[in-house]
Amino acid sequence: MTLALVVCTVAYSTKITFESVSLPKMLAVTMFAFSIFPLLLLELFKSRQPINKPVLGFALIYFAVLVFNFFVSHSNFSQQLYGVYGRNVGLLTQISFLIIFLYIASTNFNRETLLNFIFNASYICLILSIIFGFIQVFTLDGEYLLSGPSKFTAFYGNGNFFSSILGILVAFPLMNCWISKSRILLISNLNLILATLYLIFRIGDLQGFFILAILIFSIITITIYKTNRSLSIIFLIAGSMIGSFVLIGTFGKGPLGKLLVQQSNLFRLDYFRSALNVGKSNFFTGAGIESFIDTYTQGRDVNAFNRRSSVLVDSPHNHLLNQFVNGGILLLTLSVILFIAVFYKIYKSIKILHIKDKRFLTIVLVWISIFSSLMINPSNISILLWFWILSGVILNTSFGGSKEEEQLLPNRNAKNVPKSLYKIGMSKFILFTIFGAVVGATFAFPEFRADTQLRQGLDTGNQEKLTSAAIEGPYQQTRAILVAKVFFDNALESEGVKILKDAANKNNDCLRCWQLLLEHEKDPKIVLKIKNEMHRLDPLGNTE
């Protein structure tokens, strides 16, 4: 499983597909989830170990709500299934997350297995990210150096994500510096920390430092707690208040607002308000999975319009608001329940362990860091994957008790592998895993194939491949608009219009499709229809 988590986190396909970041990760996540799905069923229905019924019940309800929202929504089928272009957190990915979460939370792994799985995967992902980051920083052809810090993205497609993931993953060597008694390991971990700090600095995004500050603050609080509980509570309250003032100040609010305000956070407030309005308008069922790209302009207010009238956004930059838009109050409530369940398990576990187990604390602090990142960032498949996996680890019945308590649990699997391996034997185990992976790949293949055609069409100038990618493949408005613009730039007017009309027919909420069609349409009646559609989708926009 360590290898699977690493591949899902860093999968990258720059020479195969046009979208090289999220799409290969979606394929890897889907294959991983469906490869363990037969084993999950075996664990749930054949194992003599007690089932984690609360987690199972939550997962079934979450699945039912996702599927219900998928079918009742009027949003485009393919966009909901595969997610918007560059995010790919649609129904298929979310179900895959749910399968992985349920498998980890329900399977009778012992505690050390879970910890080793997470620690090993985190170190590999961090080292690979550092290597790729340094290749980008010191590339010989000068491409990245000339293009500025936004090009330092590694496997994640965006400097914000790269910075956040580095800030999250560096928690493991940071905590190991606290744990390690070996000088060699201490020096190795310090080198990883210094390399990470350098890359976050070169990326030029503060999110990595923000997450790192949360980690360091938490470590200091825990250290004080070990010697003086009263002082640690005072430190925690004071630090939280200062941090809150600083964070609120970056949004232009509070006493530090004028000093610390960040333009990007003002944009985030616009996204938050729009998502809230869209969620209220679709209170029970949501607007549809990954629908914010089509509904942002319908929910934005005058301030957002005046700030950036022409910008369209595909994510609210907040996980809870995104769930509210996707699935209404039902999906939002389930997300809040998951957060509360994990926080409650953390609270109970810390009481049992008396904060002596630093590897356990590392998992907790990383989960809190990911939670913080989800509150201010758009959907990212790698960060969400780690969120679901760590949530599963924390909610697993073996997690949070002391080693001595774990030894008292009945029938605990001493060899650190799930019981399903013993029941079916190694050959069938491998066969089921391969079969599940193939099924997962089959579900994801149409989207992957369409983007492969797009890449080939752009590289070779093949008109048939470009048309096939835009029309015959699963609908993706970004892909359709890209192909249409390529045709327009090469004086293929009718072909470009054909692409746009097909896209608008598949999804009449695609504002960008209507906007581009308006530029190339001459018929007054059709122009009037297009303007009416644009006004419906963007009430504040100018359609004159």
Side-chain angles (χ1 to χ4, degrees):
M1 289 215 305
T2 297
L3 178 60
L5 177 53
V6 171
V7 172
C8 290
T9 304
V10 303
Y12 194 73
S13 62
T14 183
K15 299 298 182 182
I16 302 173
T17 57
F18 184 75
E19 204 295 309
S20 59
V21 178
S22 296
L23 188 56
K25 291 179 177 62
M26 182 193 76
L27 178 64
V29 167
T30 306
M31 292 178 67
F32 176 34
F34 281 83
S35 70
I36 61 177
F37 185 64
L39 310 179
L40 171 63
L41 295 178
L42 201 61
E43 285 291 317
L44 291 177
F45 298 109
K46 296 295 184 180
S47 176
R48 295 180 181 178
Q49 301 285 352
I51 297 174
N52 194 334
K53 292 182 180 179
V55 170
L56 177 60
F58 169 83
L60 292 176
I61 295 172
Y62 195 98
F63 173 78
V65 170
L66 276 177
V67 174
F68 172 74
N69 291 334
F70 177 78
F71 283 107
V72 300
S73 170
H74 67 273
S75 294
N76 178 266
F77 178 91
S78 296
Q79 183 171 287
Q80 288 196 92
L81 181 62
Y82 295 113
V84 297
Y85 201 73
R87 305 286 182 206
N88 293 113
V89 191
L91 178 70
L92 183 61
T93 303
Q94 294 201 41
I95 289 176
S96 298
F97 286 155
L98 199 59
I99 292 171
I100 297 168
F101 162 77
L102 184 57
Y103 181 71
I104 292 174
S106 301
T107 301
N108 286 287
F109 295 111
N110 74 23
R111 187 166 167 280
E112 287 303 306
T113 299
L114 292 174
L115 291 172
N116 290 335
F117 158 55
I118 295 298
F119 269 74
N120 292 340
S122 68
Y123 267 90
I124 297 172
C125 289
L126 179 61
I127 291 169
L128 290 175
S129 299
I130 289 173
I131 291 172
F132 198 173
F134 271 89
I135 289 173
Q136 289 184 336
V137 170
F138 297 111
T139 182
L140 296 177
D141 63 11
E143 176 187 350
Y144 298 103
L145 297 177
L146 294 173
S147 300
S150 63
K151 279 292 184 179
F152 302 140
T153 62
F155 304 103
Y156 311 107
N158 180 293
N160 292 341
F161 293 142
F162 188 20
S163 179
S164 295
I165 288 172
L166 285 175
I168 291 166
L169 293 178
V170 78
F172 293 93
L174 187 66
M175 293 296 286
N176 268 337
C177 284
W178 195 15
I179 299 170
S180 178
K181 297 179 180 178
S182 166
R183 182 172 180 150
I184 295 176
L185 291 178
L186 178 63
I187 293 173
S188 300
N189 284 309
L190 284 173
N191 285 331
L192 287 176
I193 293 169
L194 291 174
T196 301
L197 291 175
Y198 173 77
L199 282 176
I200 294 174
F201 172 75
R202 287 302 304 269
I203 292 167
D205 182 83
L206 295 177
Q207 290 191 30
F209 289 122
F210 169 70
I211 292 172
L212 196 59
I214 293 175
L215 290 169
I216 294 172
F217 173 72
S218 301
I219 292 172
I220 294 173
T221 303
I222 292 167
T223 303
I224 297 173
Y225 182 84
K226 291 171 66 178
T227 57
N228 191 321
R229 293 191 179 188
S230 299
L231 183 60
S232 70
I233 293 173
I234 295 172
F235 181 79
L236 176 63
I237 294 173
S240 299
M241 289 180 64
I242 294 171
S244 298
F245 280 127
V246 171
L247 180 60
I248 293 172
T250 63
F251 286 91
K253 307 293 183 181
L256 301 176
K258 292 183 179 180
L259 180 64
L260 299 177
V261 61
Q262 298 286 318
Q263 188 69 21
S264 60
N265 281 352
L266 295 180
F267 296 152
R268 280 183 170 87
L269 288 177
D270 294 336
Y271 309 155
F272 294 170
R273 286 190 290 265
S274 176
L276 196 59
N277 291 333
V278 172
K280 289 178 180 178
S281 300
N282 303 271
F283 189 75
F284 290 106
T285 61
I289 299 172
E290 291 282 80
S291 63
F292 196 62
I293 191 172
D294 297 324
T295 56
Y296 164 68
T297 51
Q298 299 175 49
R300 68 180 175 180
D301 58 20
V302 175
N303 290 331
F305 177 78
N306 291 336
R307 226 184 311 269
R308 293 203 300 178
S309 61
S310 61
V311 172
L312 300 182
V313 182
D314 60 13
S315 174
H317 289 59
N318 179 283
H319 180 67
L320 291 177
L321 288 175
N322 194 46
Q323 295 293 76
F324 191 31
V325 172
N326 288 349
I329 191 63
L330 297 177
L331 199 57
L332 174 62
T333 301
L334 288 172
S335 300
V336 172
I337 288 172
L338 178 60
F339 287 150
I340 293 173
V342 174
F343 274 119
Y344 180 68
K345 181 67 180 292
I346 289 171
Y347 170 73
K348 284 182 60 179
S349 300
I350 287 179
K351 286 186 66 177
I352 293 172
L353 290 171
H354 303 294
I355 64 170
K356 293 178 181 178
D357 190 328
K358 294 183 177 65
R359 295 223 298 170
F360 157 76
L361 288 175
T362 304
I363 302 296
V364 169
L365 293 177
V366 171
W367 186 90
I368 292 173
S369 300
I370 293 174
F371 173 82
S372 303
S373 177
L374 290 176
M375 294 302 104
I376 58 173
N377 273 322
S379 301
N380 177 269
I381 197 167
S382 295
I383 294 176
L384 283 169
L385 172 66
W386 277 81
F387 165 76
W388 280 100
I389 284 180
L390 291 184
S391 297
V393 169
I394 293 171
L395 293 177
N396 189 287
T397 54
S398 72
F399 191 79
S402 65
K403 295 178 182 178
E404 291 77 13
E405 284 178 320
E406 184 183 359
Q407 292 173 358
L408 299 176
L409 293 175
N411 301 320
R412 179 60 63 187
N413 182 6
K415 293 189 177 181
N416 301 343
V417 292
K419 288 285 185 180
S420 51
L421 179 57
Y422 295 126
K423 287 181 174 296
I424 61 177
M426 179 60 76
S427 59
K428 290 184 179 179
F429 184 90
I430 294 174
L431 182 63
F432 284 167
T433 300
I434 294 174
F435 175 75
V438 171
V439 172
T442 302
F443 282 126
F445 180 73
E447 176 68 9
F448 196 85
R449 179 177 179 272
D451 214 57
T452 301
Q453 288 181 322
L454 175 63
R455 179 63 189 245
Q456 293 172 349
L458 291 173
D459 288 345
T460 63
N462 188 310
Q463 185 178 332
E464 290 184 3
K465 286 189 178 295
L466 289 173
T467 302
S468 177
I471 294 180
E472 296 176 14
Y475 164 82
Q476 282 287 1
Q477 62 175 268
T478 300
R479 189 160 54 222
I481 289 170
L482 174 61
V483 172
K485 286 182 175 179
V486 169
F487 285 162
F488 291 143
D489 291 342
N490 288 276
L492 298 171
E493 186 80 9
S494 61
E495 288 82 354
V497 170
K498 177 184 176 183
I499 297 292
L500 290 176
K501 286 184 175 179
D502 176 78
N505 182 58
K506 290 176 179 176
N507 178 19
N508 63 1
D509 289 338
C510 178
L511 178 60
R512 292 191 297 169
C513 298
W514 294 117
Q515 288 173 334
L516 196 55
L517 264 176
L518 184 62
E519 297 176 12
H520 297 272
E521 185 56 60
K522 308 300 183 194
D523 189 326
K525 293 182 179 180
I526 298 179
V527 167
L528 180 61
K529 177 186 176 182
I530 292 174
K531 288 184 176 181
N532 289 335
E533 290 290 345
M534 289 172 60
H535 180 71
R536 175 179 65 86
L537 297 171
D538 186 11
L540 299 176
N542 183 10
T543 58
E544 297 300 324

